Amino acid sequence: EWPTGHGVPRNGWPVPDDVVTIAELLAAEGFATAAFVSSAALDPAFRLDQGFGVYDFEPAVQVERDQAWRPAVQTLVVAKHWWESTPGSRFLWVHLFEPHFPYDPAPEDLALYRTEYRGSADGSMDFLFRLWEDASLLDGGGREHLTALYHAEITGVDRAVGAFLERLGREDRVLVILTSDHGESLGEHALDFKHGPHVFPGDVQVPLLVRGPAFAARVSDAIVRTVDVPRTILEKLGVRADLPSAAGSLAAPDRANTLAYAEASMPWNVEREGAWANQYKQRVVRNRDWSCVVTPWRNETLWFDRRRDPGERDPRSAPDGPVADELRAALAAWIGQGRYRAPPTTVDPELVERLRALGYTE
């Protein structure tokens, strides 16, 4: 379900009790369920543990001005042990924090991208907070160095995940879905090494890989969405469920008319009392050919021709014909169905304050 439907606009908001999770559906069908997560944004206090027999989060790294987290290699060790020691039908969710700021890759991974940079730019939270106020700190090779740090983190997590999936790949009838919750702007649209304020491709176009029975090896050019993951899982596992109409299937033969939506989680200071929590933040609707990006607090609408400009760097005039009106209407209807919920008040104040400092909560 879209966030506008389930009522959780971003980090720091607990999942409502009336929202039914995939884990709850599968647990009711006799599946053993477990989650191993790596970030304080997924602390059990936020109720993402609904339906999981095991919900494991033991933060190993405390970061000043950011959330506590656990390195991928540590999370994957305990997840692998659960998978191999649990018989029968299993549903496993593994959440990894990397790649994510602060950027601190392993030396062997950074060596693949190392530059001769000797300046003061680094991946620490102290530097990033200063950078977000003053982009000139990236001059003199700093941008290239931080990009190398980010790419090195991707390399490290790729190696760790590869080793983990190699073990699962030796088992028949295992469905594997790998995706992410956001990307990272590396300078696009004047946003440096951050995520949250924008909905351009660098921020919301994420990996989505599916491996398992009935999925042939290919790269799809269709519009795919993370909201389609639940129905895909349940269909392939033969579990019937009454899902929201927004949920599609990645295995559907015709996705030509699919629309994809996204909304920003920042800035937090454009909230309005009694409204859907992200209503005034930047949002987008996309079809295969066009993107319509609306930033209400700027009174701005941008159009991008995705066929000629997939990175959405060069705004164009609105498309001719009915397409523009259809996309505007679809986006207005989507945000209009937003489920209002008052900001949370029952979560650990220190945890919420760390997320607020990063712009996720009020």
Side-chain angles (χ1 to χ4, degrees), residues 103-134:
Y103 309 129
D104 186 23
E108 60 268 28
D109 296 321
L110 183 57
L112 299 174
Y113 304 93
R114 185 176 298 279
T115 66
E116 297 302 318
Y117 178 74
R118 293 292 183 269
S120 60
D122 60 28
S124 69
M125 293 308 302
D126 283 341
F127 177 79
L128 289 169
F129 270 97
R130 288 188 287 121
L131 164 65
W132 296 335
E133 297 294 329
D134 181 7

Side-chain angles (χ1 to χ4, degrees), residues 199-201 204 223 258-260 284-287 290-291 306 312:
V199 291
F200 297 111
V204 301
I223 290 251
T258 299
L259 297 180
V284 64
V285 59
R286 293 181 172 94
N287 63 19
W290 288 93
S291 292
R306 302 183 67 236
E312 299 181 9

Side-chain angles (χ1 to χ4, degrees), residues 182-183 191 194-199 203 263-267 281 360:
H182 62 74
L191 187 64
K194 194 174 185 178
H195 52 270
H198 290 174
V199 291
D203 307 80
E263 62 182 13
S265 58
M266 300 177 186
K281 295 174 170 59
Y360 289 119

Side-chain angles (χ1 to χ4, degrees), residues 8 17 35-36 49 51 68 83-84 86 95 125 179-180 186 220 231 235 254 261 264 267 269 275 300 334 353 360:
V8 182
D17 290 337
F36 297 86
D49 60 342
W83 182 267
E84 295 181 342
T86 303
H95 164 266
M125 293 308 302
T179 189
S180 178
L186 306 181
S220 173
R231 188 181 298 277
E235 284 181 351
D254 182 12
Y261 303 90
N269 59 353
E300 178 185 75
W334 183 73
E353 174 58 25
Y360 289 119

Side-chain angles (χ1 to χ4, degrees), residues 86-104:
T86 303
S89 299
R90 293 154 287 174
F91 175 67
L92 171 63
W93 174 33
V94 181
H95 164 266
L96 306 178
F97 190 59
E98 309 102 305
H100 198 285
F101 53 67
Y103 309 129
D104 186 23

